[in-house]
Coordinates of all heavy atoms in Angstrom, one line a residue:
L89 N 101.0 69.2 91.3 CA 102.0 68.3 91.1 C 101.8 67.4 89.9 O 100.7 67.0 89.6 CB 102.2 67.4 92.2 CG 102.6 68.1 93.6 CD1 102.5 67.1 94.7 CD2 104.0 68.8 93.5
R90 N 102.8 67.4 89.1 CA 102.6 66.5 87.8 C 103.1 65.2 88.2 O 104.0 65.0 89.0 CB 103.4 67.2 86.7 CG 102.9 68.5 86.2 CD 103.6 68.9 85.2 NE 103.5 68.0 84.0 CZ 104.0 68.3 82.7 NH1 104.5 69.4 82.5 NH2 103.6 67.4 81.8
K91 N 102.6 64.1 87.6 CA 103.0 62.8 87.9 C 104.4 62.6 87.3 O 104.7 63.2 86.4 CB 102.1 61.8 87.2 CG 100.7 61.8 87.9 CD 99.9 60.6 87.6 CE 98.6 60.6 88.3 NZ 97.9 59.5 88.3
I93 N 106.7 61.1 85.2 CA 106.6 60.4 84.0 C 108.0 60.6 83.2 O 108.4 61.8 83.1 CB 105.5 60.8 83.0 CG1 104.2 60.6 83.8 CG2 105.5 60.0 81.6 CD1 103.0 61.4 83.0
K98 N 106.5 60.0 77.9 CA 105.9 61.0 77.4 C 106.0 61.3 75.8 O 105.0 61.9 75.2 CB 106.2 62.3 78.1 CG 105.6 62.6 79.3 CD 105.4 63.9 79.7 CE 104.2 64.2 80.5 NZ 104.0 65.6 80.7
Y103 N 101.3 56.2 74.8 CA 101.1 56.5 76.1 C 100.1 57.5 76.4 O 99.2 57.5 77.2 CB 102.5 56.9 76.8 CG 102.3 57.4 78.2 CD1 102.1 56.6 79.2 CD2 102.4 58.8 78.4 CE1 102.0 57.0 80.6 CE2 102.2 59.3 79.7 CZ 102.0 58.4 80.7 OH 101.9 58.9 82.1
L104 N 100.2 58.6 75.6 CA 99.2 59.8 75.6 C 97.8 59.4 75.3 O 96.8 59.8 75.9 CB 99.7 60.9 74.7 CG 101.0 61.7 75.1 CD1 101.3 62.7 74.0 CD2 100.6 62.4 76.4
L107 N 96.6 57.5 78.3 CA 96.4 58.5 79.3 C 95.0 59.2 79.2 O 94.2 59.3 80.2 CB 97.6 59.4 79.4 CG 97.4 60.5 80.5 CD1 97.9 59.9 81.9 CD2 98.4 61.7 80.2
R111 N 91.7 58.8 81.5 CA 91.2 60.0 82.2 C 89.7 60.3 81.8 O 88.8 60.7 82.5 CB 92.0 61.2 82.1 CG 93.4 61.1 82.6 CD 93.4 61.0 84.1 NE 94.6 60.4 84.6 CZ 95.5 61.3 85.2 NH1 95.4 62.5 85.2 NH2 96.7 60.8 85.7
N146 N 90.5 70.2 82.7 CA 91.0 70.8 83.9 C 92.1 69.8 84.5 O 93.2 70.2 84.8 CB 90.1 71.3 85.0 CG 90.8 72.1 86.0 OD1 91.7 72.9 85.7 ND2 90.4 72.0 87.2
Q147 N 91.7 68.5 84.7 CA 92.6 67.5 85.3 C 93.7 67.3 84.2 O 94.9 67.1 84.8 CB 91.8 66.2 85.5 CG 92.7 65.2 86.2 CD 91.9 63.9 86.4 OE1 91.2 63.4 85.6 NE2 92.3 63.3 87.6
L148 N 93.4 67.2 83.0 CA 94.4 67.0 82.0 C 95.5 68.2 82.1 O 96.8 68.0 81.9 CB 93.9 66.8 80.6 CG 93.2 65.6 80.3 CD1 92.6 65.6 78.9 CD2 94.2 64.3 80.5
R149 N 95.1 69.4 82.3 CA 96.0 70.6 82.3 C 96.7 70.4 83.6 O 98.1 70.8 83.5 CB 95.1 71.8 82.2 CG 96.0 73.1 82.3 CD 95.2 74.4 82.3 NE 94.1 74.5 83.3 CZ 94.2 74.7 84.5 NH1 95.5 75.1 85.0 NH2 93.3 74.8 85.4
E150 N 96.1 70.3 84.7 CA 96.8 70.4 86.0 C 97.7 69.2 86.2 O 98.9 69.5 86.8 CB 95.9 70.5 87.1 CG 95.1 71.8 87.3 CD 94.1 71.8 88.4 OE1 93.9 70.9 89.0 OE2 93.5 72.9 88.6
E151 N 97.4 68.1 85.9 CA 98.2 66.9 86.2 C 99.1 66.5 85.1 O 100.1 65.8 85.3 CB 97.3 65.8 86.7 CG 96.5 66.0 88.0 CD 95.7 64.9 88.4 OE1 95.7 63.8 87.9 OE2 94.9 65.0 89.3
E152 N 98.7 66.6 83.9 CA 99.6 66.2 82.7 C 100.2 67.3 81.9 O 101.0 67.0 81.1 CB 98.8 65.2 81.9 CG 98.2 64.1 82.7 CD 99.0 63.2 83.4 OE1 100.3 63.2 83.0 OE2 98.8 62.6 84.4
G153 N 99.8 68.6 82.3 CA 100.3 69.6 81.4 C 99.8 69.7 80.0 O 100.4 70.3 79.2
L154 N 98.7 69.0 79.6 CA 98.0 69.1 78.3 C 97.0 70.4 78.4 O 96.2 70.5 79.2 CB 97.3 68.0 78.1 CG 98.1 66.6 78.1 CD1 97.2 65.4 77.9 CD2 99.1 66.6 76.9
R155 N 97.3 71.4 77.5 CA 96.6 72.6 77.4 C 95.7 72.6 76.3 O 95.9 72.0 75.2 CB 97.4 73.8 77.3 CG 98.4 74.0 78.6 CD 99.3 75.3 78.4 NE 100.1 75.2 77.1 CZ 100.3 76.1 76.3 NH1 99.8 77.2 76.5 NH2 101.1 75.7 75.1
L177 N 97.4 70.7 73.4 CA 98.9 71.0 73.1 C 99.6 70.2 74.1 O 99.4 70.2 75.3 CB 99.1 72.5 73.2 CG 98.7 73.4 72.1 CD1 99.1 74.8 72.4 CD2 99.1 72.9 70.8
Y178 N 100.6 69.4 73.5 CA 101.5 68.7 74.3 C 102.9 69.2 74.0 O 103.2 69.1 72.8 CB 101.3 67.2 74.0 CG 102.4 66.4 74.5 CD1 102.6 66.3 75.9 CD2 103.3 65.7 73.7 CE1 103.7 65.5 76.3 CE2 104.3 64.9 74.0 CZ 104.6 64.7 75.3 OH 105.5 64.0 75.8
N179 N 103.7 69.6 75.0 CA 105.0 69.9 74.9 C 105.9 68.9 75.4 O 106.1 68.8 76.5 CB 105.4 71.3 75.5 CG 104.6 72.5 74.9 OD1 104.4 72.5 73.8 ND2 104.1 73.4 75.9

Side-chain angles (χ1 to χ4, degrees):
L89 298 176
R90 295 182 65 173
K91 292 195 174 189
I93 301 171
K98 277 203 149 191
Y103 173 77
L104 287 174
L107 177 81
R111 297 292 164 99
N146 190 40
Q147 185 182 39
L148 289 175
R149 180 183 53 84
E150 287 181 354
E151 294 181 9
E152 305 303 331
L154 299 174
R155 295 180 303 136
L177 290 178
Y178 163 67
N179 295 326

